[in-house]
Amino acid sequence: MALLDRPPTTLFVCVTCRAGRDDAQEPRPGAQLFESLRQGAEGLAVVPVECLSNCQRGCTAAVSAPGKWTYVIGQLDPEQHAADMLAFARLHREATDGLPAWRSRPEHVRKNTIARIPPLPVVAKEIA
Amino acid sequence: MALLDRPPTTLFVCVTCRAGRDDAQEPRPGAQLFESLRQGAEGLAVVPVECLSNCQRGCTAAVSAPGKWTYVIGQLDPEQHAADMLAFARLHREATDGLPAWRSRPEHVRKNTIARIPPLPVVAKEIA
């Protein structure tokens, strides 16, 4: 019940990313990153996506949750940076506003934040 | 009533952006972009933000709406690209999923999409 009451922090992962390479490597780096994140994702939802439009600086993942800031992180090497991305997602989950303290963020995340977007404003509902 | 039932499409604008310049130009390019967008924003909500973390490729705006994809657009010159950004926001508003047809998007938007993020998955609510 408690888990369902609190919608999960979601990690979106671009699974089609070739990480800037022209070769036909299979599985693609994006798919490898997805698999690495999924394996360590206890307490998080990991969702595959076809293209997060950060193709020049992939691989890419984004962390989001209702009412919180969304962060897009790039230059993620599936063999090197899965742990950093998972650590950041857990900091995001613990931060009420989705803004983990700068110094607490893994260095790769600090240096490769592609964009962040605020939560949508709450719209007052008209009562019949 | 109808307007309140449909939460507005929101344009977030980084108002602190210096567009990569070190000088102390005031008002800042980001604040100029915000003003340009606000003036043409009928039917849209334009919300100022301090930093969208796209500092290397500013000025920056993001378009978002409940249940739709979010797009972050960069390299926006306040004097040249406000109309393109507004046109894209209106296409986004009309697109049920927030994915305007590629060919319909203004060229600057096509060439300077920094990232896109899907809507959060719907979480089933447990009933008592």
Side-chain angles (χ1 to χ4, degrees):
Chain A
M1 178 82 173
L3 280 173
L4 280 172
D5 283 347
R6 188 181 181 187
T9 294
T10 297
L11 263 178
F12 294 110
V13 188
C14 172
V15 294
T16 49
C17 189
R18 295 187 189 276
R21 294 200 290 268
D22 288 332
D23 60 22
Q25 180 190 332
E26 293 289 348
R28 294 191 184 190
Q32 291 181 295
L33 177 63
F34 172 72
E35 195 54 38
S36 299
L37 292 173
R38 202 177 58 79
Q39 286 175 15
E42 194 181 348
L44 305 166
V46 185
V47 175
V49 180
E50 292 194 3
C51 196
L52 291 164
S53 287
N54 177 45
C55 310
Q56 290 175 15
R57 295 187 287 179
C59 294
T60 310
V63 60
S64 193
K68 296 187 180 184
W69 286 72
T70 296
Y71 276 81
V72 183
I73 311 300
Q75 309 271 29
L76 291 164
D77 181 302
E79 294 181 4
Q80 290 187 51
H81 302 130
D84 287 340
M85 192 65 214
L86 288 168
F88 182 63
R90 293 200 165 90
L91 290 170
H92 185 276
R93 184 183 58 186
E94 299 310 317
T96 311
D97 48 10
L99 295 170
W102 174 262
R103 292 184 63 177
S104 71
R105 303 177 195 176
E107 184 180 4
H108 183 85
V109 170
R110 286 204 303 265
K111 292 189 173 173
N112 294 279
T113 295
I114 303 300
R116 64 174 198 168
I117 306 102
L120 283 164
V122 174
V123 176
K125 283 189 182 174
E126 194 173 356
I127 298 170
Chain B
M1 178 84 173
L3 279 174
L4 280 173
D5 283 347
R6 188 181 182 187
T9 293
T10 297
L11 263 177
F12 293 110
V13 187
C14 172
V15 294
T16 49
C17 189
R18 295 187 189 275
R21 294 200 290 267
D22 289 332
D23 59 22
Q25 181 190 330
E26 292 290 347
R28 293 191 185 191
Q32 291 180 297
L33 177 64
F34 173 72
E35 196 54 39
S36 299
L37 292 173
R38 202 177 58 79
Q39 287 175 14
E42 194 181 348
L44 304 166
V46 185
V47 176
V49 181
E50 291 193 4
C51 196
L52 291 163
S53 287
N54 177 46
C55 311
Q56 290 174 15
R57 295 187 286 178
C59 295
T60 310
V63 59
S64 193
K68 296 187 180 186
W69 285 73
T70 296
Y71 276 82
V72 183
I73 311 300
Q75 308 271 30
L76 291 164
D77 181 302
E79 294 182 4
Q80 289 186 53
H81 302 129
D84 287 341
M85 193 64 214
L86 289 168
F88 182 63
R90 293 202 164 90
L91 291 170
H92 185 275
R93 184 183 58 186
E94 300 309 317
T96 311
D97 48 10
L99 296 170
W102 174 262
R103 292 185 63 179
S104 70
R105 302 177 195 177
E107 184 180 4
H108 183 84
V109 170
R110 285 203 304 266
K111 292 189 173 173
N112 294 280
T113 295
I114 303 300
R116 63 174 198 167
I117 306 102
L120 284 163
V122 174
V123 176
K125 282 190 183 175
E126 193 173 357
I127 298 171

